[in-house]
Amino acid sequence: MMMTSPASLTPHPSPEIPVIAIDGPSASGKGTVAQLVAQALNFHYLDSGALYRLLALAAGRHGVSFDEEEGLVRLAEGLVIRFEGNEVWLDGAQVGDAIRTEECGNGASRIATYPRVRAALLDLQRAFHKSPGLVADGRDMGSVVFPGAMLKIFLTASAEVRADRRYKQLKEKGMHANIRQILHDIRQRDERDSARSVAPLQKCADASLLDTSSMTIVEAVDEVLTRFKQVRVRIGASSSNSFVG
Ligand code: DC
């Protein structure tokens, strides 16, 4: 991977390829929703959190401390990763389960506070922007990575609902889970992701809020698809108006 310069903070140069940016806190269900929306539209899917998790995992494996920004940047520049369906490879080995642990998520949240680490992952994320379209989920998809996204959603749910969902998810996988610890971790992660100075977790002004606390996944997916259709119709109408005008 090449070093990312500040110039790459400009909007992606393919505005005609639609992007749906879905940002929100951890365990909000945005990943599941984003994936299903991508499937319904036959769009590509970017799980940007997976990149931060992969880097955290690689750091652990290469003995790079989470405090060493320079070492993390070098590691990010040399990441050898591959995504295929739900699976992901690091240095040729399958790591789909390894990156999903709470430990890896917390590590990802820590290394994501470094501006140069974030910059080093920019090009990698933008490489997912391909025809016929992209659904990208994360924390800064609408604000930094794809500021020209056609639709920006801030998808959230209360911390308690998110903790409960994460708890059930872990139990289903047969993994050990403690609901109080999960709630504590979720609050701590929210705090760190929201308080950092670079690309903090926040709803940007042009994003629309989707609170899924009392929604099913199917309802949330339908809602995103409906909003996307509305935006497309609006854009179609305004471009045909400008033709007439
Ligand atoms: O979405 P996730 O829980 O897999 O993300 C793990 C961590 O990575 C999250 O706590 C913060 C960081 N992250 C980020 O800073 N920016 C993104 N676009 C995605 C994730």
Side-chain angles (χ1 to χ4, degrees), residues 44-159:
H44 298 280
Y45 168 59
L46 165 64
D47 170 6
S48 64
L51 298 181
Y52 288 92
R53 287 170 181 266
L54 279 163
L55 186 57
L57 186 70
R61 292 188 173 177
H62 288 85
V64 176
S65 146
F66 293 154
D67 300 325
E68 270 179 66
E69 182 172 11
E70 187 56 44
L72 292 167
V73 169
R74 272 203 305 274
L75 205 55
E77 287 166 3
L79 271 187
V80 180
I81 55 176
R82 182 161 66 92
F83 286 89
E84 219 176 277
N86 276 336
E87 202 32 83
V88 54
W89 283 259
L90 172 67
D91 297 328
Q94 266 183 298
V95 292
D97 286 338
I99 63 163
R100 290 291 145 215
T101 62
E102 289 304 294
E103 194 192 350
C104 211
N106 286 324
S109 169
R110 281 182 62 190
I111 62 175
T113 58
Y114 296 116
R116 293 187 52 227
V117 168
R118 303 195 69 83
L121 292 176
L122 265 181
D123 287 347
L124 195 54
Q125 295 174 82
R126 288 183 177 151
F128 283 76
H129 188 193
K130 288 186 290 205
S131 183
L134 173 69
V135 182
D137 88 62
R139 306 292 187 289
D140 60 344
M141 296 299 97
S143 56
V144 176
V145 184
F146 302 109
M150 192 177 274
L151 176 66
K152 300 180 185 182
I153 301 271
F154 189 79
L155 192 148
T156 189
S158 71

Side-chain angles (χ1 to χ4, degrees), residues 7-229:
S8 45
L9 286 169
T10 50
H12 195 278
S14 307
E16 68 282 0
I17 301 174
V19 175
I20 300 179
I22 303 184
D23 289 305
S26 61
S28 57
K30 63 186 187 314
T32 310
V33 171
Q35 244 173 313
L36 290 170
V37 168
Q39 232 170 56
L41 296 167
N42 211 14
F43 279 11
H44 298 280
Y45 168 59
L46 165 64
D47 170 6
S48 64
L51 298 181
Y52 288 92
R53 287 170 181 266
L54 279 163
L55 186 57
L57 186 70
R61 292 188 173 177
H62 288 85
V64 176
S65 146
F66 293 154
D67 300 325
E68 270 179 66
E69 182 172 11
E70 187 56 44
L72 292 167
V73 169
R74 272 203 305 274
L75 205 55
E77 287 166 3
L79 271 187
V80 180
I81 55 176
R82 182 161 66 92
F83 286 89
E84 219 176 277
N86 276 336
E87 202 32 83
V88 54
W89 283 259
L90 172 67
D91 297 328
Q94 266 183 298
V95 292
D97 286 338
I99 63 163
R100 290 291 145 215
T101 62
E102 289 304 294
E103 194 192 350
C104 211
N106 286 324
S109 169
R110 281 182 62 190
I111 62 175
T113 58
Y114 296 116
R116 293 187 52 227
V117 168
R118 303 195 69 83
L121 292 176
L122 265 181
D123 287 347
L124 195 54
Q125 295 174 82
R126 288 183 177 151
F128 283 76
H129 188 193
K130 288 186 290 205
S131 183
L134 173 69
V135 182
D137 88 62
R139 306 292 187 289
D140 60 344
M141 296 299 97
S143 56
V144 176
V145 184
F146 302 109
M150 192 177 274
L151 176 66
K152 300 180 185 182
I153 301 271
F154 189 79
L155 192 148
T156 189
S158 71
E160 289 75 12
V161 167
R162 287 185 282 135
D164 190 53
R165 285 176 185 166
R166 175 62 48 94
Y167 175 79
K168 287 180 180 145
Q169 208 176 43
L170 291 171
K171 281 285 174 194
E172 266 166 31
K173 285 186 187 161
M175 290 162 90
H176 167 76
N178 174 321
I179 185 94
R180 285 180 53 181
Q181 183 64 43
I182 293 173
L183 182 59
H184 173 264
D185 285 352
I186 279 183
R187 289 202 169 118
Q188 207 175 40
R189 187 113 67 93
D190 281 359
E191 172 65 28
R192 189 165 42 221
D193 292 349
S194 313
R196 70 175 177 230
S197 53
V198 185
L201 168 68
Q202 60 183 22
K203 178 187 160 306
C204 47
D206 53 351
S208 60
L209 182 70
L210 182 55
D211 187 333
T212 66
S213 297
S214 54
M215 277 182 157
T216 63
I217 287 180
V218 173
E219 286 169 339
V221 170
D222 283 349
E223 184 57 34
V224 175
L225 290 171
T226 302
R227 291 185 193 183
F228 183 58
K229 269 185 213 137

